[in-house]
Amino acid sequence: MTTYTINGSTLLLQQGNIVNVQADAIVNAANAALAGGGGVDGAIHRAAGPTIMRECRQIGGCATGSAVATGAGNLSARYIFHAVGPIYQNSGNEPQLLASAYQTCLNLAEEHQLQSIAFPSLSTGAYGYPLHLAAPIALRTVITHLQQPTSLKQVYFILFDQRTLLAYQQALQKLLGGDQI
Ligand code: AR6
């Protein structure tokens, strides 16, 4: 586990399964149809139960680079934020779309005055975003956000495997070593 404090808020990088994390909001790596799927999406829907799929159907969909909120069903969180990261195709605007998926979740957290939020590594599974490119975008978006006034006291990155945790730890070190956060 790695922790880093910014203006009194804590950023934590931790290996684990996001459905087991205690946080006000848990972020899901969803698709634009909000139709459910494998990876984090499958794990969250299984653990939360059918109510969130009903809410997703009512919402109907979510643009890539954005996110929508539902309740959290059987999970202890208050909300699930269903974020849609880009499918990696090297077409040029993936970095903006990925940053914007994280940023929309952070904005939703402020809207609901949440103190804690847990992110998975959006887009780096089925959507094929290279980890060494996605990790600095994810971290930079969160760190920049925490440098401004915020209700958030804890932001967790819950990284499923060792490889993903290491990529985020390395990216964080690089960002902190450089001057371009
Ligand atoms: N907790 C935390 N991280 C997890 C978990 C978990 N329970 N399960 C997997 N990961 P992915 P994407 C990691 O594929 O790339 C779905 O079918 C995984 O190892 O879940 O944004 C959706 O319905 C990887 O590091 O999300 C979409 O169609 C990371 O989470 C599509 O996949 C993201 O992998 C979204 O693809």
Side-chain angles (χ1 to χ4, degrees):
M1 185 170 78
T2 299
T3 66
Y4 173 58
T5 304
I6 304 146
N7 275 350
S9 303
T10 309
L11 169 64
L12 294 99
L13 310 184
Q14 203 175 317
Q15 195 175 340
N17 184 337
I18 203 161
V19 301
N20 298 327
V21 172
Q22 299 283 328
D24 292 337
I26 286 180
V27 176
N28 183 17
N31 49 62
L34 300 178
V40 193
D41 204 0
I44 287 178
H45 278 281
R46 274 194 302 278
T51 57
I52 64 167
M53 184 50 84
R54 280 202 284 277
E55 286 187 65
C56 283
R57 283 206 196 95
Q58 263 170 11
I59 296 167
C62 175
T64 301
S66 191
V68 295
T70 67
N74 299 327
L75 294 176
S76 62
R78 291 169 58 191
Y79 301 98
I80 308 285
F81 295 160
H82 305 263
V84 184
I87 298 172
Y88 192 76
Q89 295 160 321
N90 216 353
S91 67
N93 63 346
E94 287 94 346
Q96 290 79 1
L97 290 170
L98 186 62
S100 155
Y102 283 100
Q103 187 64 57
T104 310
C105 293
L106 294 164
N107 295 346
L108 284 170
E110 302 300 339
E111 223 171 87
H112 296 285
Q113 289 291 294
L114 304 187
Q115 295 199 357
S116 56
I117 184 168
F119 287 102
S121 176
L122 297 174
S123 284
T124 64
Y127 279 1
Y129 212 120
L131 255 181
H132 71 285
L133 299 179
I137 293 169
L139 290 167
R140 201 182 298 118
T141 306
V142 166
I143 291 171
T144 304
H145 188 83
L146 293 180
Q147 286 169 337
Q148 297 142 36
T150 173
S151 65
L152 286 166
K153 301 274 177 246
Q154 284 103 25
V155 177
Y156 303 94
F157 278 95
I158 305 300
L159 306 160
F160 205 46
D161 50 27
Q162 182 93 28
R163 179 176 151 263
T164 308
L165 175 65
L166 274 175
Y168 274 70
Q169 284 172 331
Q170 280 167 6
L172 182 61
Q173 259 174 14
K174 262 197 193 165
L175 285 175
L176 299 180
D179 53 3
Q180 48 177 11
I181 285 180

